[in-house]
Amino acid sequence: LGLDGGKVDRLDRSTERFVHYKLDNDAAVMAMHQDRKGRLWVGVWGRGLYWFDAAADRFVHYKEAFCVDRCRSCDYIYDIHEDQDGALWLATFSGGLNKFEPAQKRFTFYLKDDTAPHSLSSDNLMSIHQDRAGILWIGTHGGGLNRFDPDTETFTPYREQDGLANDTVYGILEDAQGRL
């Protein structure tokens, strides 16, 4: 369970008691994701990315351990998504879309650029969904829905003027027919 106050609680089903982990005093756990290797990743508001070191039974702050450039971008994480290649995509508030490749310990940043017509429509992201065709859909706060083409690394926005009911997208799901 991700909690306010920078806490994560794990229910031990054998004892029916919670094990408490403290990550940060003044932050909220906003996103959690268990990757295909079983690693738990946690996004903490204002503090960035943590992962759970099972051998040491503790959370490690990724930024302090490994991130050396531009990690300010990943301090406010709303959502974490893992793609088919094992990369983690971080929806950040004010830092755009961050791609993190754990094996290489490498970040790639996608930001709004008013001079580039196919950039992200907003740096304030709320949600990420990968559809069955492998396309990433990014929900923004105020910039609508963005379709990300990984081959060209370009974004196509869909906004109120295109028929979207609102330019803030908190969550994205796909139905059985492939509709968002």
Side-chain angles (χ1 to χ4, degrees), residues 15-121:
T15 64
E16 294 190 9
R17 297 205 179 268
F18 285 95
V19 177
H20 307 288
Y21 299 92
K22 185 83 165 163
L23 289 83
D24 193 280
N25 288 329
D26 301 319
V29 173
M30 300 297 289
M32 300 176 83
H33 176 77
Q34 185 172 12
D35 70 17
R36 66 186 65 173
K37 293 183 177 180
R39 295 175 296 197
L40 178 62
W41 297 89
V42 177
V44 178
W45 189 252
R47 294 288 291 147
L49 189 63
Y50 289 76
W51 89 93
F52 185 67
D53 181 344
D57 193 37
R58 69 181 184 95
F59 281 89
V60 176
H61 191 215
Y62 189 82
K63 184 177 186 178
E64 292 171 359
F66 297 106
C67 193
V68 293
D69 67 344
R70 297 211 45 209
C71 267
R72 172 209 64 81
S73 179
C74 59
D75 281 350
Y76 296 91
I77 300 170
Y78 258 118
D79 198 6
I80 302 171
H81 172 77
E82 182 181 11
D83 68 16
Q84 296 103 326
D85 298 323
L88 297 178
W89 294 85
L90 311 175
T92 74
F93 201 82
S94 78
L97 181 64
N98 297 186
K99 178 183 179 182
F100 173 58
E101 298 165 277
Q104 295 83 10
K105 297 182 175 78
R106 178 177 56 216
F107 280 90
T108 305
F109 303 95
Y110 300 92
L111 301 166
K112 178 182 178 179
D113 180 351
D114 291 328
T115 65
H118 295 289
S119 73
L120 198 57
S121 65

